[in-house]
Amino acid sequence: MSNDWYKDAIFYEVHVKAFFDADANGAGDFAGLTAHLDYLQDLGVDCLWSLPMYPSPLKDDGYDIADFYGIHSSYGTVEDFQRFLDAAHARGMRVITDLVMNHTSDQHPWFQSARSDPNSPYRDYYVWSDTDLKYRGVRIIFTDTEKSNWSWDPEAKLYYWHRFFSHQPDLNYDNPAVRKSMLDVMRFWLDRGLDGFRCDAVPYLVEREGTSCENLPETHTILKEVRRVIDQEYGGDRVLLAEANQWPEDVRPYFGDGDEFHMSFHFPLMPRLYMGVQRGDRLPITDIFTHTPPIPPSCQWGLFLRNHDELTLEMVTREERDYMYYAYASDPRMKLNVGIRRRLAPLLENDRRRIELMNCLLLTLPGTPIIYYGDEIGMGDNVHLGDRNGVRTPMQWSSNRNADFSTAEPEQLYLPVVNDPIYGHQVVNVAAQAKTPSSLLNTMKRLIAARRQSRAFGRGTIEFLHPRNQAILAFLRRWEDEIVLVVANLAATTQPVELDLTAHRDAVPIELLGQTRFPAISDRPYFLSLGPHGFYWFRLEPRERRPVRYGIEATAI
């Protein structure tokens, strides 16, 4: 595969502990994930993104890393990980894992040494202060739980800096030893064949007085060095994916000149997809693209509908945030920090048409789609569980006990399986949907397969059309000599639309999901009618000279 393989790929985000428990200890493991690689291959997945799998006290579900060089005992061993990685590669799938660059657990040996001995070589691995008045005005990210970015350490008798939870002290990237140590961590996993990293919390690596301590030039200098080393030592086909929850113009520098991150999430687009569908109006979606700057040709946006965190509302206006809370978080328990802790299907009230429409947009807008485990079958959530655990419940494989996730006793599971009348595993599971041609799972397979028919989806430019009907989102994707037209009805009612396609006169639209020929484009407005939340994907082909037939006639006559 080419070095920019990530442009055409389908990513799948999976928590190892949530997928399948092979050793009956109540938590998923790498042996269980390996056993279900055929399922992911059949779905159409090209790259697995694994959440943190390192030893950890699990106060933040593994994002509080206590050892960068190991595997959490519940998930197996480094050897188990190697077997999983080799099995994925044998199926043509890539694997990336989370790497938390910004901080460690306070249980990490580095921090334990740093706090206990002022002469420790690790003392300067962290950011210390005699006062909690430095870097005043820097925003607090976890507003529900943290009141300050400083915490007092009674052993060191100093304050330490943390942008996230107080049990996650920030690393000091002004120290060259820290930068070298993190590169050594990356080398350890890349030497085993890992295909890259999703780098967590990268805007916060460096602190400077009088700034927001985010997106600083020094941070980009560090990240460019990381990219340079990885490219030089590993052949240029490993990928770095940035988690930078910022406005598009602030994310743009993380691509550099194609010499920093290969990919970055498009955080501001995600809530506006929900807004557009809720309002039945394309404006929230098209507007955010006017604020999205061009990126280097080798780079790519990462698109997602949901993930392991809350549906973040940091990158919206106050009015938009209030609207999203009103529309999607009627129960106060659904809110967390500055976001909504719900899965895709419950957010959309289990409306199959809206779920398919959102996945249509995920798969056709510019960027690489990232599917969150379980969303391909419409899994639900459990808002009664604390923190973000409600969207991290076990994968639902069947209607059997524990959803066939584990043979352990139910009370031994790391979290209970969803068990309600609408989203419970008795109703929503892989086994039932695999046998039902019209299921969401099989529909997702067809959508993914249709996306593969055109590289324009992963690589092409985008041109929005401007029909008078605001409920219709229509755009052209172009790559080399390919042109794809996507038309989507964001409204819950049937909608007509007239499209100005005169620039493509005589082209024949071929609908990609059914390979159905539509009437050729003329010099008149092209009329379509779309059902509630309906959509079309067309490939525009030059008109052939032989008589045109439509639909089934092309093969039946």
Side-chain angles (χ1 to χ4, degrees):
M1 296 178 71
S2 63
N3 283 356
D4 61 355
W5 56 268
Y6 47 87
K7 287 195 168 188
D8 303 308
I10 302 291
F11 280 56
Y12 188 91
E13 178 189 0
V14 60
H15 206 334
V16 177
K17 75 173 184 181
F19 212 58
F20 187 77
D21 174 18
D23 61 4
N25 70 349
D29 43 51
F30 277 109
L33 185 53
T34 305
H36 282 77
L37 285 173
D38 288 344
Y39 164 78
L40 297 172
Q41 185 180 28
D42 188 49
L43 177 61
V45 173
D46 300 293
C47 182
L48 291 175
W49 156 28
S50 163
L51 269 64
M53 71 284 190
Y54 315 95
S56 165
L58 299 181
K59 292 182 179 180
D60 187 19
D61 208 10
Y63 283 89
D64 48 332
I65 296 173
D67 176 7
F68 287 107
Y69 290 95
I71 297 292
H72 194 283
S73 58
S74 293
Y75 309 155
T77 63
V78 172
E79 290 69 30
D80 291 329
F81 172 82
Q82 187 69 60
R83 282 189 284 271
F84 152 72
L85 184 61
D86 293 343
H89 286 166
R91 291 166 173 79
M93 287 190 281
R94 308 252 183 170
V95 177
I96 68 171
T97 62
D98 254 307
L99 181 66
V100 183
M101 297 184 67
N102 182 67
H103 51 262
T104 70
S105 165
D106 59 6
Q107 302 303 306
H108 196 290
W110 294 348
F111 189 74
Q112 290 299 310
S113 175
R115 75 198 306 185
S116 61
D117 181 3
N119 297 313
S120 165
Y122 297 107
R123 189 55 167 278
D124 198 34
Y125 268 49
Y126 297 90
V127 182
W128 302 94
S129 174
D130 294 322
T131 172
D132 61 354
L133 300 180
K134 290 181 69 176
Y135 312 137
R136 298 188 73 176
V138 173
R139 70 185 177 107
I140 297 169
I141 295 171
F142 290 155
T143 55
D144 285 5
T145 54
E146 301 297 332
K147 305 306 178 189
S148 171
N149 288 317
W150 290 104
S151 285
W152 175 256
D153 184 72
E155 194 167 347
K157 295 182 171 55
L158 292 168
Y159 290 95
Y160 62 88
W161 179 253
H162 57 87
R163 288 306 304 272
F164 293 87
F165 292 117
S166 57
H167 56 77
Q168 294 168 326
D170 276 25
L171 290 165
N172 174 22
Y173 275 87
D174 286 329
N175 181 354
V178 169
R179 301 197 293 272
K180 179 182 182 302
S181 293
M182 293 308 295
L183 278 170
D184 287 343
V185 168
M186 291 181 170
R187 289 185 178 104
F188 175 81
W189 296 104
L190 294 173
D191 285 345
R192 293 184 168 274
L194 189 69
D195 296 292
F197 298 99
R198 179 263 195 187
C199 298
D200 185 73
V202 292
Y204 317 107
L205 300 186
V206 177
E207 302 77 32
R208 291 292 181 268
E209 198 66 69
T211 73
S212 66
C213 294
E214 299 179 18
N215 309 316
L216 299 184
E218 295 89 340
T219 293
H220 292 287
T221 301
I222 293 164
L223 295 171
K224 287 179 189 294
E225 174 67 7
V226 169
R227 171 68 182 274
R228 184 188 65 79
V229 169
I230 290 177
D231 278 355
Q232 285 183 353
E233 297 183 11
Y234 296 96
D237 67 340
R238 312 299 173 96
V239 67
L240 295 175
L241 169 59
E243 188 219 18
N245 187 0
Q246 308 282 326
W247 290 101
E249 60 266 28
D250 294 323
V251 175
R252 171 60 185 84
Y254 287 92
F255 295 113
D257 295 320
D259 60 350
E260 205 161 316
F261 282 94
H262 304 80
M263 298 176 63
S264 185
F265 294 107
H266 201 315
F267 277 98
L269 172 61
M270 179 268 299
R272 287 168 176 82
L273 296 176
Y274 289 92
M275 275 188 265
V277 171
Q278 182 69 23
R279 294 178 181 176
D281 184 350
R282 67 175 181 260
L283 182 60
I285 300 171
T286 56
D287 180 65
I288 195 62
F289 278 95
T290 66
H291 298 286
T292 301
I295 60 177
S298 62
C299 296
Q300 182 82 316
W301 291 105
L303 307 186
F304 64 103
L305 299 176
R306 286 300 302 111
N307 62 18
H308 59 288
D309 288 333
E310 63 271 20
L311 191 164
T312 178
L313 299 176
E314 288 184 281
M315 296 302 122
V316 298
T317 66
R318 181 172 297 178
E319 292 77 13
E320 290 170 332
R321 186 177 302 129
D322 290 343
Y323 178 81
M324 287 291 289
Y325 281 142
Y326 170 78
Y328 290 107
S330 56
D331 187 331
R333 289 172 296 187
M334 298 174 183
K335 301 178 183 178
L336 181 69
N337 297 317
V338 187
I340 302 170
R341 50 176 179 177
R342 304 222 69 189
R343 267 190 176 266
L344 176 65
L347 279 165
L348 301 176
E349 299 175 324
N350 211 27
D351 184 328
R352 175 68 179 275
R353 287 175 169 172
R354 279 195 287 169
I355 293 171
E356 290 184 13
L357 172 62
M358 289 288 279
N359 279 294
C360 156
L361 301 178
L362 173 71
L363 292 166
T364 59
L365 287 168
T368 293
I370 302 167
I371 299 169
Y372 186 48
Y373 85 94
D375 278 354
E376 74 274 15
I377 60 171
M379 270 180 59
D381 51 43
N382 185 348
V383 297
H384 300 283
L385 298 175
D387 195 30
R388 296 143 161 177
N389 288 332
V391 301
R392 302 178 182 182
T393 56
M395 182 68 176
Q396 296 170 196
W397 294 105
S398 80
S399 60
N400 297 333
R401 180 174 178 263
N402 293 339
D404 267 343
F405 161 75
S406 173
T407 57
E409 293 300 318
E411 59 271 16
Q412 289 182 275
L413 301 188
Y414 75 94
L415 285 176
V417 176
V418 172
N419 193 23
D420 64 53
I422 298 175
Y423 302 103
H425 65 279
Q426 300 90 342
V427 181
V428 178
N429 63 73
V430 170
Q433 293 196 20
K435 294 184 289 188
T436 307
S438 60
S439 68
L440 177 60
L441 174 61
N442 282 313
T443 298
M444 286 294 292
K445 290 179 184 179
R446 288 192 291 273
L447 290 173
I448 290 170
R451 186 184 192 272
R452 294 190 188 281
Q453 295 178 37
S454 175
R455 300 184 87 189
F457 290 124
R459 298 170 180 267
T461 60
I462 187 167
E463 175 191 346
F464 287 102
L465 304 181
H466 304 283
R468 285 178 292 177
N469 188 342
Q470 281 289 120
I472 300 297
L473 176 68
F475 52 88
L476 295 163
R477 302 297 312 277
R478 301 170 189 259
W479 170 250
E480 296 179 344
D481 59 350
E482 290 182 273
I483 302 176
V484 175
L485 169 66
V486 176
V487 188
N489 176 12
L490 304 180
T493 55
T494 299
Q495 295 289 327
V497 64
E498 290 182 331
L499 300 173
D500 180 4
L501 298 174
T502 52
H504 308 281
R505 189 176 186 276
D506 291 336
V508 177
I510 308 295
E511 204 281 319
L512 290 178
L513 293 169
Q515 294 301 315
T516 304
R517 299 173 65 91
F518 273 55
I521 297 167
S522 69
D523 53 6
R524 295 187 299 274
Y526 198 84
F527 177 79
L528 291 169
S529 179
L530 292 92
H533 300 307
F535 54 85
Y536 289 115
W537 301 358
F538 294 112
R539 182 176 63 251
L540 302 187
E541 289 192 345
R543 188 170 189 174
E544 299 173 0
R545 292 183 179 180
R546 60 183 174 81
V548 175
R549 306 187 192 282
Y550 303 107
I552 195 172
E553 297 176 45
T555 53
I557 297 179

